[in-house]
Amino acid sequence: MTKSDIILRVLEVALWIRVTIGFVCQMIFVDLAPAIPIVYLAFDGVIVALGCWTLTHRRDVISGAILLVVSALVTIAYNHESIFFYLNGMRDFLGYLFVLPVLRYLMADERRWESAGKRIDRFIYLYLWLQFPCMLIQFLYYGAGDHVGGSLGDYQSGMTSTLLFLGSFYLIHKRLDRNRLLASLWENKQYLVMLFPAFLNETKVSFVFLALYLLLLLPFDRKMFIRLTLAIPVMALLLYGAAVTYLVTTGNKAGDVFSIKYYAESYLLAENGDDTQKYAEWLLENDGDRERDSEDVPRFSKFLFLFEMHEDEPGKALAGWGVGHFKGGTLVPNSDFYQQNEWLLIGTIPYLFHVLVQLGWLGVALMAAFFGLMLFRRPVAGAARDYNLQFYVLALLLLIMVYQDFLRNVLVCFLIFYVMARSWTLPREERQEVMS
């Protein structure tokens, strides 16, 4: 058995265990629920081991070293946190350090990359179909809401919906015939059907994902505006059907959900910041289930509070308070910063907020450089770019920045980075020089 065979088999087993453990232990063998965090940690360990085994390219070494040095200086030297606190916090950034080396190794050989594509594509395909029974069972048992997280389990609804759209777009996009778009869409309708469970869990961003999904299926060429004109009725019909499905399954009213006032004064931004802070602090004192108060401080309001904190503590806007403030409380005690601002640091966390708190705008610059190199720098001369796929991944990443902190999750990083890698078509004669 070759090195690549071992890597792919280990990956397949680890991925399947990771994406099913939540549902199995929460809905079937409930006594095993305490094992879920252990499995998550083991999965991360597998990716770290495979990343170390395949870490050969200079770019990965340099980018990893920069992240480690900057984060260590900010956390230990500037914010005076312990090395154990720092190491515990770096678990949130494992995807940046260890996923790409594995993908670069697989890309470096044509047969290896084709074999990886067949296996991982099959995994994505089966994973998408698996969400249908899992999410339907959760919906019938709990009703629409955060409990409908599919095979990933309880309170994974947003992540599951995001992966549903990412995987479905990737699979249908590579099979579409651009010369007969509508007929080809009908022939590949199963990938659209796969999206249905995303509207069983009140994940409102699904409508944005769907609009981008339909728009970016259109090829970028001179006929794009003609195709767009012809496709608008179909897109409108599908969006209307999704909205009706959402309203029926959730029991919400259209005026309550599809209104600017709802998002401006409740969902994204609090109407009164002082009242929001007082209410969030009251919840911490009076509600024992702190981790589930996901809507206590709306997403955009978190940024406003953070910017006020920047004004009170000069220098934190640039470098942040160090990594680890979102990982304490179990093996490592919570930091003083966390204890003082717990009301703001729990619940739904936009990923941009997550980075700004820990590494400031310096961390945001490093993150932008990381994704910029992946999306815009050709892996080798002559590599062909799939614009539709790259724009969809880029749009998804931008939404995650203000939606939720999924990129802390190694599984999400692996799947997003894999689709990114598939957005490049490499010249056959240059396979051996890939990503050097």
Side-chain angles (χ1 to χ4, degrees):
M1 186 180 295
T2 64
K3 178 178 177 179
S4 61
D5 288 332
I6 295 173
I7 289 173
L8 288 172
R9 290 193 181 187
V10 169
L11 263 179
E12 281 187 294
V13 172
L15 285 169
W16 276 118
I17 294 175
R18 175 61 180 83
V19 301
T20 56
I21 188 66
F23 184 88
V24 169
C25 290
Q26 291 166 353
M27 298 296 294
I28 303 175
F29 303 109
V30 293
D31 291 338
L32 297 178
I36 295 175
I38 299 174
V39 173
Y40 289 174
L41 187 61
F43 175 80
D44 293 351
V46 168
I47 298 299
V48 170
L50 294 179
C52 291
W53 195 17
T54 55
L55 183 60
T56 57
H57 293 288
R58 181 177 57 184
R59 192 193 307 177
D60 292 331
V61 174
I62 294 174
S63 62
I66 291 173
L67 175 59
L68 289 172
V69 170
V70 170
S71 58
L73 289 174
V74 168
T75 308
I76 300 172
Y78 180 58
N79 286 287
H80 309 294
E81 300 290 352
S82 71
I83 188 171
F84 297 105
F85 183 88
Y86 163 71
L87 292 175
N88 188 55
M90 282 304 295
R91 289 163 53 198
D92 281 342
F93 299 93
L94 293 179
Y96 291 97
L97 296 170
F98 297 105
V99 169
L100 275 186
V102 179
L103 295 176
R104 292 191 205 279
Y105 170 79
L106 295 174
M107 292 180 74
D109 179 82
E110 180 181 348
R111 286 181 296 179
R112 187 189 303 162
W113 189 228
E114 290 178 356
S115 176
K118 291 178 181 178
R119 294 189 182 192
I120 299 175
D121 286 5
R122 181 175 64 241
F123 162 78
I124 294 174
Y125 178 79
L126 295 175
Y127 166 77
L128 295 181
W129 277 123
L130 179 61
Q131 304 321 298
F132 229 104
C134 289
M135 296 178 77
L136 187 58
I137 290 170
Q138 291 164 331
F139 171 74
L140 294 175
Y141 189 82
Y142 295 110
D146 292 339
H147 295 289
V148 187
S151 65
L152 294 180
D154 214 7
Y155 288 94
Q156 305 296 318
S157 57
M159 187 185 303
T160 297
S161 294
T162 301
L163 294 180
L164 275 172
F165 280 94
L166 174 69
S168 175
F169 183 86
Y170 165 66
L171 293 177
I172 193 173
H173 173 67
K174 65 187 295 185
R175 289 166 172 79
L176 282 183
D177 182 351
R178 271 66 184 174
N179 295 318
R180 39 192 293 276
L181 191 59
L182 291 179
S184 186
L185 270 175
W186 178 252
E187 292 168 0
N188 291 279
K189 56 184 176 295
Q190 61 171 315
Y191 299 104
L192 291 170
V193 174
M194 288 175 175
L195 300 176
F196 170 76
F199 299 96
L200 298 178
N201 58 18
E202 290 191 312
T203 305
K204 300 172 184 66
V205 76
S206 293
F207 294 100
V208 183
F209 287 151
L210 180 59
L212 290 168
Y213 182 109
L214 298 172
L215 179 64
L216 290 174
L217 284 179
L218 301 175
F220 292 146
D221 57 23
R222 295 178 180 178
K223 297 181 180 179
M224 181 177 179
F225 291 105
I226 297 176
R227 290 193 178 100
L228 181 60
T229 302
L230 297 174
I232 283 177
V234 178
M235 294 170 62
L237 182 62
L238 289 172
L239 285 169
Y240 176 77
V244 171
T245 301
Y246 176 87
L247 294 174
V248 170
T249 57
T250 62
N252 289 315
K253 296 180 179 178
D256 295 335
V257 178
F258 301 111
S259 67
I260 296 177
K261 182 179 180 180
Y262 168 73
Y263 290 94
E265 297 181 2
S266 177
Y267 185 70
L268 297 176
L269 192 65
E271 188 173 4
N272 187 302
D274 291 336
D275 289 346
T276 299
Q277 180 176 348
K278 291 177 182 177
Y279 176 64
E281 292 173 339
W282 181 87
L283 282 175
L284 285 176
E285 296 175 0
N286 295 275
D287 191 337
D289 195 7
R290 299 180 177 185
E291 295 301 322
R292 302 313 186 197
D293 295 319
S294 59
E295 301 301 334
D296 47 353
V297 179
R299 289 171 172 85
F300 289 0
S301 291
K302 286 182 182 287
F303 289 104
L304 297 181
F305 284 118
L306 179 62
F307 297 153
E308 289 179 6
M309 293 164 62
H310 286 164
E311 294 178 359
D312 295 335
E313 298 188 55
K316 300 301 184 181
L318 176 62
W321 285 267
V323 301
H325 300 290
F326 294 92
K327 296 295 289 185
T330 306
L331 299 175
V332 178
N334 286 318
S335 63
D336 293 338
F337 173 77
Y338 179 90
Q339 293 176 15
Q340 295 169 7
N341 300 281
E342 185 177 5
W343 62 273
L344 184 63
L345 302 181
I346 63 170
T348 301
I349 305 295
Y351 191 68
L352 181 60
F353 178 88
H354 178 268
V355 175
L356 282 171
V357 166
Q358 299 187 100
L359 295 173
W361 290 109
L362 184 60
V364 173
L366 291 176
M367 179 182 62
F370 178 87
F371 288 116
L373 288 173
M374 289 186 67
L375 283 166
F376 303 118
R377 185 186 181 196
R378 298 180 188 276
V380 296
R385 183 194 306 273
D386 186 327
Y387 285 99
N388 292 72
L389 195 54
Q390 290 197 352
F391 275 121
Y392 192 78
V393 173
L394 178 59
L396 183 145
L397 286 171
L398 291 174
L399 284 170
I400 288 176
M401 292 300 124
V402 296
Y403 177 58
Q404 206 158 345
D405 53 353
F406 299 144
L407 291 176
R408 297 172 61 183
N409 191 293
V410 177
L411 169 68
V412 175
C413 285
F414 180 84
L415 294 174
I416 291 178
F417 296 175
Y418 171 75
V419 174
M420 279 185 180
R422 284 289 169 187
S423 71
W424 293 102
T425 302
L426 308 179
R428 291 181 177 272
E429 65 274 10
E430 295 180 352
R431 295 278 183 168
Q432 300 298 331
E433 303 175 19
V434 68
M435 309 294 265
S436 58

